Amino acid sequence: MRNFVLLLLCMTTFSVSGQEVNDQSTMDVEEGLKWVEDIDWTRFEEKSKTSPQQLMLGEILLNANKYALTTWWEKRGFSGTASGDYLDLKGTLEHKIRPVAAEAEALATSLRMGLYDPSVTGVPVEEAETKTIQMIRSLAHSHKANSIDGWGRKWQSALWAGYSSFAAWMMWDKLDDQDRLEVLAMIYDECEWVMDNKGLLGIKTYRNLNGEIVSLGDTGAEENAWDSLVLTVACAMMPDHPEYSKWMNKMVFLNLNALARPSDLASRKKYNGKPLKEWLVGTNINEDGTIVNHHFIHPDYMTSPFEFNPIKFFWLAQKPAPQAMKRNIDLVFHAFTELEFHEGDSITGGVVKSPGGTIYKPGSGDIFYPLGTDWGEGRRMNFVSFNSTVAAFSNDNEIKKEAGEWLLKHGEVVLEMQSRFEDGHTYLDESEDSYPSREEWVADKATTAYIFETLKLLGRPKFTNKRF
């Protein structure tokens, strides 16, 4: 298997997972690793610049770190595994892989950006680092590219691989060559799967090019965005890789389709070398910025495509991100803050509940779900992360300011929820959020928002509209 991994990393077309390769086919380890560019972490050593948003996000993320290293580690059954051994992830489905990957990236972010504080978590830096690396190694090793019966190459796995590879990239200098090779094998394998399966006929759209609803009640907004995640990490991590242009074009294609609305089908404004209309195979959001998922207009899924926004990877790498990644941010923000839902009105999925109004409730951290919600009304971190994205990338200074204020309102709710528990977790139980991996979901959203709020203190992101 090791020979297979070495070969896989030195080719730009990839073999079938598990194929036997003889010794004459292997190439030097360095050949497979030469494409990776390290993140410059020295930028984060200066801590004199802060903001209320960054300090709040740091507190939320540290609480999530504390939970991950203590209660969560025990609940996952990891405490009995020696630090040098692979963790038993106990399966290959979403709630066996995604939550571990989310906690790995959350801890890696905290450790590498100078946030991690053992006086808060109660766990020494060395132990936190060891556990983070152990999660990364185990995620990569258990992928199909490295284990015959592993996870991957399926619905949502590009997202899990994106989380895992981002965590690995952040801890790159702490991994040995074998671990690095297995990480890259995972990345290549998932990139290949996305390239092969997410073409013109392989992605989901809510409406087709004729404006007809073809995926009743189930937008493809978040799925297209998450399918692009591993491609984004690969591009930011390996900007000189021979597959870079192909990966970038597919990533732009998926993200533009994720957040396209019906009027975009007529737009000739160019994005990364082509008019917008030529990128699109359908649309996934409504003209007013709302998104339909689970068969109703669903505020949680209005934030979802932005949760997988790829800009943070390029910003960390100090590389320009595609201009296309900022599209329709203001539109969806306005749908949260200005779009009025009137009690008793019929909208997609049902009748607006009492008391009506806007989704963001003025003067508070409350969220109004016009038709209710099937996850739970305790969710706030998705809105915190979305507000951070808007505050970072909107072209309107007033919207930036407003989004930063909403971040503080929604973030305060999260801190109040976390303050109820000694170990730093967020939810009382599934009545507040029924998603099985809800705590790890919080850690992931806190990761994105903390990165954005910290990078904002150091300068502005760069964008490019060139053809790849």
Side-chain angles (χ1 to χ4, degrees):
M1 179 57 69
R2 181 182 177 90
N3 287 347
F4 162 67
V5 173
L6 291 175
L7 176 66
L8 180 62
L9 294 168
C10 301
M11 300 172 64
T12 56
T13 58
F14 312 119
S15 305
V16 176
S17 182
Q19 178 178 333
E20 294 295 329
V21 180
N22 60 38
D23 290 340
Q24 288 87 346
S25 300
T26 59
M27 303 173 71
D28 185 74
V29 173
E30 294 300 321
E31 183 69 17
L33 301 173
K34 70 179 183 180
W35 305 114
V36 179
E37 293 190 8
D38 292 336
I39 297 169
D40 176 14
W41 298 113
T42 61
R43 290 176 290 161
F44 304 105
E45 293 173 359
E46 172 56 52
K47 299 181 182 179
S48 61
K49 293 183 178 180
T50 61
S51 69
Q53 290 82 1
Q54 190 231 19
L55 292 173
M56 174 178 281
L57 265 301
E59 191 174 350
I60 291 171
L61 182 54
L62 277 175
N63 285 335
N65 291 161
K66 180 179 182 179
Y67 174 70
L69 292 167
T70 55
T71 306
W72 180 84
W73 192 263
E74 292 285 340
K75 284 185 175 180
R76 299 296 298 199
F78 294 161
S79 58
T81 306
S83 61
D85 295 340
Y86 295 115
L87 299 169
D88 180 1
L89 304 181
K90 299 180 174 62
T92 61
L93 300 179
E94 176 184 0
H95 297 292
K96 303 302 182 183
I97 307 300
R98 179 176 176 176
V100 179
E103 295 292 12
E105 66 168 5
L107 281 162
T109 297
S110 187
L111 287 162
R112 298 318 297 260
M113 297 185 75
L115 172 67
Y116 188 82
D117 186 348
S119 70
V120 174
T121 65
V123 177
V125 172
E126 295 77 9
E127 181 181 341
E129 185 175 287
T130 297
K131 287 181 175 178
T132 303
I133 292 170
Q134 191 173 20
M135 285 191 283
I136 294 167
R137 296 179 64 243
S138 303
L139 287 160
H141 184 72
S142 61
H143 188 271
K144 281 182 179 293
N146 304 303
S147 297
I148 293 174
D149 296 322
W151 63 274
R153 300 182 71 87
K154 62 193 292 184
W155 177 85
Q156 210 187 86
S157 66
L159 169 61
W160 315 338
Y163 288 172
S164 302
S165 55
F166 181 42
W169 184 29
M170 287 191 280
M171 303 298 287
W172 199 247
D173 57 333
K174 309 289 186 179
L175 304 179
D176 64 27
D177 279 346
Q178 177 65 20
D179 296 332
R180 293 178 182 181
L181 287 169
E182 292 194 342
V183 168
L184 288 174
M186 171 185 67
I187 292 173
Y188 288 167
D189 204 42
E190 287 295 323
C191 284
E192 179 189 37
W193 184 82
V194 173
M195 295 298 293
D196 288 347
N197 291 279
K198 299 297 173 178
L200 296 179
L201 301 178
I203 70 169
K204 181 187 292 184
T205 61
Y206 180 61
R207 292 184 174 90
N208 63 18
L209 292 174
N210 295 320
E212 302 163 332
I213 295 176
V214 291
S215 180
L216 186 64
D218 189 19
T219 181
E222 87 284 8
E223 292 186 33
N224 292 330
W226 79 41
D227 278 332
S228 76
L229 200 70
V230 70
L231 297 174
T232 311
V233 179
C235 289
M237 184 179 181
M238 298 178 279
D240 295 320
H241 194 281
E243 297 290 290
Y244 176 86
S245 293
K246 293 179 181 178
W247 290 340
M248 283 290 279
N249 274 287
K250 181 69 74 174
M251 186 267 289
V252 170
F253 165 75
L254 287 167
N255 278 277
L256 285 175
N257 278 278
L259 285 164
R261 57 176 173 165
S263 62
D264 291 333
L265 295 175
S267 176
R268 297 200 60 80
K269 184 174 181 179
K270 284 193 173 182
Y271 287 95
N272 300 108
K274 288 194 302 188
L276 177 58
K277 61 183 294 183
E278 294 182 16
W279 284 103
L280 303 180
V281 297
T283 63
N284 276 301
I285 69 175
N286 294 323
E287 199 63 34
D288 60 6
T290 58
I291 290 179
V292 176
N293 213 352
H294 295 199
H295 296 277
F296 60 97
I297 290 177
H298 203 316
D300 289 339
Y301 286 92
M302 291 166 64
T303 69
S304 289
F306 300 97
E307 293 165 21
F308 314 119
N309 191 294
I311 299 173
K312 68 173 177 283
F313 305 116
F314 295 101
W315 201 355
L316 275 173
Q318 297 178 284
K319 304 291 184 183
Q323 186 72 26
M325 300 304 100
K326 297 201 295 180
R327 289 202 71 259
N328 287 336
I329 286 177
D330 290 359
L331 171 70
V332 177
F333 183 73
H334 282 143
F336 282 129
T337 60
E338 297 181 8
L339 186 61
E340 291 277 348
F341 294 87
H342 301 286
E343 181 182 352
D345 281 0
S346 294
I347 60 175
T348 304
V351 177
V352 175
K353 297 179 179 296
S354 175
T358 55
I359 294 173
Y360 284 7
K361 301 306 293 180
S364 80
D366 294 341
I367 299 294
F368 172 57
Y369 288 88
L371 300 175
T373 176
D374 51 358
W375 287 123
E377 295 189 359
R379 287 192 161 197
R380 290 297 182 279
M381 272 314 302
N382 52 334
F383 300 105
V384 171
S385 179
F386 174 74
N387 294 332
S388 181
T389 301
V390 175
F393 308 126
S394 172
N395 292 323
D396 186 313
N397 287 332
E398 285 301 312
I399 291 177
K400 284 176 179 282
K401 180 181 177 182
E402 186 181 357
E405 292 169 352
W406 279 114
L407 185 158
L408 294 174
K409 289 185 177 71
H410 296 141
E412 186 60 38
V413 175
V414 178
L415 282 176
E416 289 173 0
M417 294 173 75
Q418 290 180 328
S419 70
R420 299 176 296 177
F421 309 107
E422 181 63 31
D423 63 3
H425 74 276
T426 304
Y427 295 108
L428 176 65
D429 54 33
E430 64 182 13
S431 68
E432 295 179 337
D433 185 348
S434 62
Y435 183 61
S437 298
R438 52 188 170 269
E439 296 295 340
E440 301 91 337
W441 178 89
V442 168
D444 170 64
K445 307 304 169 255
T447 295
T448 294
Y450 182 76
I451 290 172
F452 282 156
E453 294 306 319
T454 302
L455 286 172
K456 281 165 56 178
L457 300 172
L458 303 179
R460 296 181 177 181
K462 296 178 181 179
F463 293 91
T464 179
N465 208 25
K466 72 175 183 179
R467 182 189 297 271
F468 298 110

